[in-house]
Structures are given as C-alpha cells and as structure tokens.
Amino acid sequence: MPKISSEILWDLSAAEVQTRESEEEDRGVQPSERTLFMMGSKAGGKTSILYRCVDKDEAPKPTLALEYSFVRRTRRHSTPKDIVHLWELGGGTSLSDLVQITISPSSVRSLSVILVLDLSKPNCLWVTMERLLLAAQEHAEKAFQTLQKTGNKHQMSVQPTRVLPKDYPDRELISPFPVPLLIIGSKYDIFQEFDSDKKKLMSKTLRFVAHYYAASLIFTSIKSESLVSKTKVFFSHLAFGLDKGKTVSTDSTKPLFVPAGSDSFSQIGTPPTSDMTSIHAKNPKDLWKKVYEYNFPPESVSEQQELKDPAKDPQYNEPPIDAMRAQKNQELEQYKRNVEKSWKGLDLESRQTTA
C-alpha cells in the first residue's frame, strides 16, 4: 500500500469537514443564539444550579442584582459555535423590575425562563412564584406586542403566546406562558425530610402551576449527582435544543420530573379542602392558591430591607475607589456635624434675642 503524506491526509480531512458543513447548511442546520433568564427564591441556589449546569468549577457567589454570562457549544462539524446568553436575577422578588432588561423585543423570540423555587421554605414559595412569573409574563407579552407593531414581516408572524399542539393535554383549560418555562424546585435534600402530607400538597400544587403554564417541572439538589445530571438535561434542552428525554415522575415521595405536556389536571386531582370550612375561589388557580396559603401562610418579609449595601460587599472590593469613598464619607460626616453645630448656634442666638 503506497504511503500517504501527512499533507495529503490533512487536505482530505479538511475537504471532508467542508463537505459535511455544506450538507448541514443545505439542511438548514445553522448556529443558534438563545437566551436563558434564571430567577427565583432569594438564596434558593440559582447560581449553584447554573454553575453545575455549565460545568463551572468555582465557588458560587451571591447574586447581587442582575448578572450576565454566556456559554458556547460546538456542534460536530459546525462553525461558528452556538451561543447561549445567561441572565440571573438576584434578590428574590425585590428586584423584579430588572426583568425588563432581560426580556425585550430583541431577545424574546429566543428566550426561555427558568424559575428556581426553594422547597425548604414553603411559606415563601407561592408569593415568590406568583410575583416573578407575573413580572416576566407581562414583559414578555409587551415584547411580543412591540414586535408585532414595529417588526418586519418575519417578526410580524410571531404569535404573542406559544402555540401548543392540538393534542396537548387540557389545551383549552390552560394558559401557556409566553415563552418556554422550566420550574425547578431546589434543595430537595431538605424537602424530602418533610412529612408526607406537606410533600404531597407542595408537589401537587407545583404540578398544577407547571401544567397551567405549559411548563416543565423538576426537583433537584446540588448534593445529589443524579439529580444534577437530570437537571443538566433540561437545561441543555432549553439552551441548545437537545432532547430532554422521556423520564417522567409524579410520585410525591420521589423527586418530580414532569416535562411539559406529560401531565394533566385529571392526574393531578383537586386540592385538599376538607379542613377549610368555607372557601371562595374565582378559578382553579385561585383555589389552589387559597388552599396552599391556608396550609402554608405566607411570610410578610420585606426582601428589599434585607439587601446588602454593594459598597460593603467584599466580592466587589476596589482599593482605590474604596479609599476615595471612605474619605468622602468622612468629609460628609464632618459636614453634617458642622451643619448641626451651626443650627444649634442659630437656635441659641434666636432664644437669646427673644429673651
């Protein structure tokens, strides 16, 4: 067999790659650009989950407000790389106004939302879920409406809400979230120690909410490698369009894995109302809310007051700026003392004159 030089082998390999890339382009396979927006419970583990999903090997830091990062992925024989823009909202519900920065007409067509809810704090769960989903939904719908009014012909064809298959369960009874939505129940390691009745009510409530919005629902814990692995599957589905698998689990004694479209109201059942003497609800969603908050009374905690001063956060240390800020703070305090003395002097002089 004649010996083939390395140059010829290189040329043959390059030609093969170009051929496959051309075939992919002919089939319409193009690099994608998507946006993932993660929000949820304060200190609920959002950053930890995100780091594990993107294989970021470093200790997560508390998210102060709204943080941006991105990841790239190279598909086989495909250049340039797929890119996913990652936005993470900190502060729980206190910074929900920042949702408008991420959800805009320029991003909404390729946007997916991930809502992380802390299962270890059931009394805060419904309020957090309701406020953040409402904020995201309003801005997403406004963004689609803007596209319809000002966009080109291609943008004009975009519907203001997701269009579900005709055979989607309870299609006429649900209200699909405007963009793909994944609800993650975090800290399952703590949740699994709850008594069975609590776990059953929380699980069924979240299943109802997820199905109502045509969303996927999973429970996870960063302390479990198997749960993290399954979370990565759902993350990769939203980020890169990969298959999310066929795993379904609706057993409240186990971690939930409910892909969108795999549940139904008949399977979920009705909320337990036997302990409630009288209840008035406008619709099924309102009924589930009242039952849930009856069993888990919402805590009235002002998250805005709990936010730390970013200037005092050690992760944002800037020695030159911090030194200048300290000097200005001292000058301000001295100014306040001088003003206070001058006002006291004026007050004393005024009293003497009056006397």
Side-chain angles (χ1 to χ4, degrees), residues 54-238:
V54 299
D55 297 320
K56 192 171 183 178
D57 188 18
E58 64 179 70
K61 299 178 181 178
T63 304
L64 184 64
L66 183 64
E67 295 189 1
Y68 169 80
S69 60
F70 67 91
V71 292
R72 296 180 184 272
R73 169 180 172 267
T74 303
R75 285 182 286 179
R76 189 177 181 181
H77 311 305
S78 176
T79 55
K81 300 178 181 179
D82 295 338
I83 184 170
V84 180
H85 305 282
L86 303 174
W87 292 90
E88 182 187 352
L89 179 68
T93 61
S94 62
L95 299 175
S96 58
D97 290 345
L98 297 181
V99 167
Q100 60 185 316
I101 297 177
T102 302
I103 304 179
S104 64
S106 60
S107 67
V108 72
R109 287 184 298 157
S110 62
L111 174 72
S112 295
V113 172
I114 300 177
L115 175 66
V116 179
L117 299 173
D118 189 344
L119 296 176
S120 70
K121 299 178 180 178
N123 299 82
C124 302
L125 189 145
W126 187 280
V127 172
T128 298
M129 173 179 64
E130 186 175 52
R131 291 182 182 177
L132 291 177
L133 285 182
L134 178 60
Q137 183 175 11
E138 288 180 348
H139 286 289
E141 290 175 349
K142 287 180 181 178
F144 277 118
Q145 291 172 2
T146 300
L147 287 179
Q148 288 184 316
K149 293 178 181 178
T150 63
N152 56 36
K153 292 182 179 180
H154 175 69
Q155 293 171 328
M156 288 288 285
S157 64
V158 178
Q159 298 296 322
T161 57
R162 291 157 57 200
V163 179
L164 301 178
K166 292 183 178 180
D167 59 348
Y168 198 94
D170 305 311
R171 186 172 183 269
E172 302 300 325
L173 303 175
I174 64 178
S175 179
F177 204 70
V179 298
L181 172 64
L182 169 63
I183 300 176
I184 299 179
S186 65
K187 302 185 182 181
Y188 179 78
D189 53 301
I190 300 176
F191 171 80
Q192 67 180 345
E193 302 299 328
F194 289 1
D195 66 61
S196 59
D197 289 338
K198 283 187 177 181
K199 290 193 293 186
K200 186 175 181 180
L201 176 58
M202 292 178 67
S203 296
K204 292 183 67 174
T205 300
L206 289 177
R207 283 177 60 193
F208 172 85
V209 172
H211 184 56
Y212 178 80
Y213 285 114
S216 296
L217 170 66
I218 62 174
F219 284 0
T220 193
S221 168
I222 59 172
K223 296 182 179 181
S224 169
E225 290 301 323
S226 62
L227 294 182
V228 169
S229 178
K230 292 179 179 179
T231 304
K232 286 183 178 180
V233 171
F234 278 81
F235 179 88
S236 298
H237 171 70
L238 294 179

Side-chain angles (χ1 to χ4, degrees), residues 250-269:
T250 58
D251 187 346
S252 61
T253 64
K254 300 176 181 179
L256 296 185
F257 293 97
V258 191
S262 62
D263 213 345
S264 66
F265 289 142
S266 61
Q267 296 179 52
I268 297 170

Side-chain angles (χ1 to χ4, degrees), residues 253-299:
T253 64
K254 300 176 181 179
L256 296 185
F257 293 97
V258 191
S262 62
D263 213 345
S264 66
F265 289 142
S266 61
Q267 296 179 52
I268 297 170
T270 58
T273 58
S274 57
D275 296 336
M276 304 175 68
T277 55
S278 62
I279 183 171
H280 302 282
K282 298 177 291 185
N283 50 56
K285 183 184 174 185
D286 188 44
L287 174 62
W288 277 96
K289 176 182 178 179
K290 291 182 181 299
V291 172
Y292 185 88
E293 292 189 338
Y294 174 82
N295 289 273
F296 301 104
E299 297 178 355

Side-chain angles (χ1 to χ4, degrees), residues 25-42:
E25 290 179 358
D26 292 339
R27 296 196 304 269
V29 180
Q30 298 293 333
S32 67
E33 185 171 353
R34 304 189 185 196
T35 300
L36 294 189
F37 177 43
M38 179 177 282
M39 59 184 184
S41 304
K42 184 179 180 181

